[in-house]
Amino acid sequence: MPQKILVVDDEPDIVKVLVARLKENGYETITAFDGNQALVQAEHYQPHLIILDIMMPGMDGTEAAQKLKENPKTQDIPIIFLSALQTKTEEQGEGDRIGGNVILAKPFEIDILLKKIREMAGGY
C-alpha cells in the first residue's frame, strides 16, 4: 500500500510538479492550497508525511504546523517545510529544522526532497 503524502502550497504549479514527481516515485498524494485545508485534509486522510509551504495567505505554514502538532490525531505526522525565506546556505547548516521538522529552500531539488521523505516517512 503506497504511503500518503499531503502536499500543501498556495502555488498550483508547485503542487502539480510535486504531485507528479511523488506519484512517479510510488507515493499517493493528497493536496491542499492553504493552512485551513491542510488541517482538514491531514485529520481526514492521516498522511504519512506533510510537505508544507511556509508562506501562504491566511493561515501560514508555521501556524498550520502548530495546529497540527496540537491535534492528537495529527501530532505525530512528520512535516517537511518549503520556504522561499530560507537560503540554500542556511538549508545546509544547522538551520534546517524547526521542531524536528525539515526545511528545504525554494526552489528545491526534487532528489533532495525525495531523500528527506524516505528518511522521515520510510518507504521507497
Side-chain angles (χ1 to χ4, degrees):
M1 188 164 165
Q3 290 187 316
K4 291 180 283 196
I5 298 178
L6 172 57
V7 177
V8 187
D9 199 304
D10 60 321
E11 295 180 48
D13 289 345
I14 290 177
V15 172
K16 186 176 175 180
V17 167
L18 281 171
V19 165
R21 292 303 305 268
L22 291 169
K23 285 184 177 181
E24 286 172 11
N25 284 275
Y27 295 99
E28 182 181 327
T29 59
I30 305 138
T31 58
F33 297 93
D34 62 42
N36 287 316
Q37 285 181 354
L39 300 178
V40 171
Q41 298 288 61
E43 187 165 339
H44 180 75
Y45 290 103
Q46 292 293 299
H48 294 91
L49 183 131
I50 299 170
I51 298 173
L52 183 60
D53 184 24
I54 291 179
M55 289 187 58
M56 295 184 290
M59 183 187 308
D60 68 17
T62 54
E63 186 180 350
Q66 182 178 357
K67 291 183 182 298
L68 288 164
K69 295 303 177 190
E70 291 170 357
N71 182 341
K73 293 181 179 178
T74 58
Q75 68 186 4
D76 295 326
I77 301 171
I79 297 171
I80 296 177
F81 288 105
L82 297 179
S83 174
L85 299 175
Q86 180 98 348
T87 67
K88 290 290 180 187
T89 303
E90 291 168 333
E91 177 184 300
Q92 302 307 317
E94 290 302 310
D96 68 347
R97 291 184 175 264
I98 294 178
N101 299 301
V102 172
I103 307 169
L104 293 179
K106 284 183 178 179
F108 56 88
E109 294 180 39
I110 194 70
D111 292 337
I112 292 173
L113 177 61
L114 290 168
K115 180 179 180 234
K116 295 291 184 187
I117 290 169
R118 286 189 294 273
E119 288 171 5
M120 294 176 74
Y124 315 100

